[in-house]
Amino acid sequence: MGGDGVRRRPLGNGAGVRRLPEPAPADGGGLVVFLNGTTSSGKSSIARELLKIVDEPYFHLPVDAFHAMRSAPEPTGDDLAAMLHRTWRGYHRAVAGMAAAGNNIVVDHVLSEEWRLRDCLALFVPRDVVLVGVHCPRAELERRERARGDRPEGLAVRQLERVHAHGMYDLEVDTARLDPAECARRVKEFIARRPRPTAFERMSADGWAPRVG
């Protein structure tokens, strides 16, 4: 009995203690399907359609979900920029951790700053990443942005030149020409054959990733 008068069950390996089974170790890292494009380009719609047709379990981890977890009000100025930077870094590491545990992930991302790509190259296993460029013409981005009404005006266009600046993909889709279901079907078909080297492997070989260690 403890000093507070509460009777406690002793810890240990006694006969009355039931052991839970140990989880089976992951056979290897999971696959990361990395959808990169501007806001309003259709990444989330493709991800939702892809989850309907894949043959194995996948998790859709959009960065918007991480931003939505924050309490309000948000800081301003330099404090806001620093907080957003920490959010992106944490998001990358959450995705890397899920994949390292053997989970397949669909990433919904905006590589509008070079450091984000370099950070992902340093964290993810290059052979296990399928990098998909999600394209959409300027006029259609502007139309979608006006229709959804939950993004700052002109944000997608400002991102347009930077988000695809690295210029290297495993697969590219145009959401002005193809609907989300067709884009998802093409991604699924590509996953089945996955030629090597991957875009992440080629960028790592070209010196994009920072040296770690």
Side-chain angles (χ1 to χ4, degrees):
M1 182 176 293
D4 55 3
V6 177
R7 186 177 297 277
R8 295 184 174 86
R9 178 178 295 177
L11 298 175
N13 297 323
V17 177
R18 180 183 177 188
R19 284 180 171 272
L20 295 175
E22 291 289 334
D27 294 332
L31 181 66
V32 177
V33 177
F34 197 123
L35 305 177
N36 174 52
T38 68
T39 181
S40 302
S41 62
K43 303 182 303 296
S44 295
S45 297
I46 295 172
R48 286 190 291 269
E49 292 297 326
L50 185 59
L51 261 61
K52 296 176 184 177
I53 61 174
V54 285
D55 298 321
E56 299 179 50
Y58 274 77
F59 291 85
H60 176 205
L61 295 184
V63 72
D64 284 351
F66 281 63
H67 290 308
M69 295 177 193
R70 285 196 304 269
S71 59
E74 292 190 344
T76 58
D78 291 343
D79 290 339
L80 175 61
M83 183 196 65
L84 292 174
H85 187 81
R86 293 194 302 271
T87 303
W88 281 105
R89 281 175 50 84
Y91 170 65
H92 297 162
R93 282 148 183 81
V95 171
M98 285 287 285
N103 299 292
N104 297 319
I105 310 295
V106 180
V107 167
D108 177 341
H109 211 315
V110 183
L111 292 176
S112 56
E113 296 182 26
E114 184 179 304
W115 77 264
R116 298 176 188 173
L117 175 57
R118 292 189 181 276
D119 201 35
C120 291
L121 282 164
L123 292 167
F124 301 167
V125 178
R127 69 173 182 273
D128 293 336
V129 179
V130 174
L131 184 57
V132 181
V134 180
H135 298 278
C136 186
R138 174 178 181 143
E140 178 61 13
L141 286 173
E142 291 174 330
R143 187 197 67 77
R144 293 179 186 181
E145 200 169 67
R146 289 192 299 270
R148 65 188 294 177
D150 62 351
R151 292 290 189 274
E153 185 176 350
L155 176 60
V157 171
R158 290 195 298 273
Q159 294 172 343
L160 192 55
E161 291 185 3
R162 293 176 291 158
V163 76
H164 302 295
H166 60 281
M168 195 178 298
Y169 287 107
D170 296 300
L171 176 68
E172 298 179 74
V173 295
D174 184 341
T175 61
R177 294 177 53 249
L178 305 172
D179 65 23
E182 176 60 21
C183 292
R185 186 187 65 79
R186 294 192 180 195
V187 173
K188 181 186 176 184
E189 289 178 352
F190 185 88
I191 290 172
R193 52 190 179 87
R194 277 205 300 153
R196 299 273 305 276
T198 66
F200 260 48
E201 287 178 313
R202 284 177 279 146
M203 282 188 281
S204 295
D206 287 345
W208 268 87
R211 293 184 179 180
V212 179

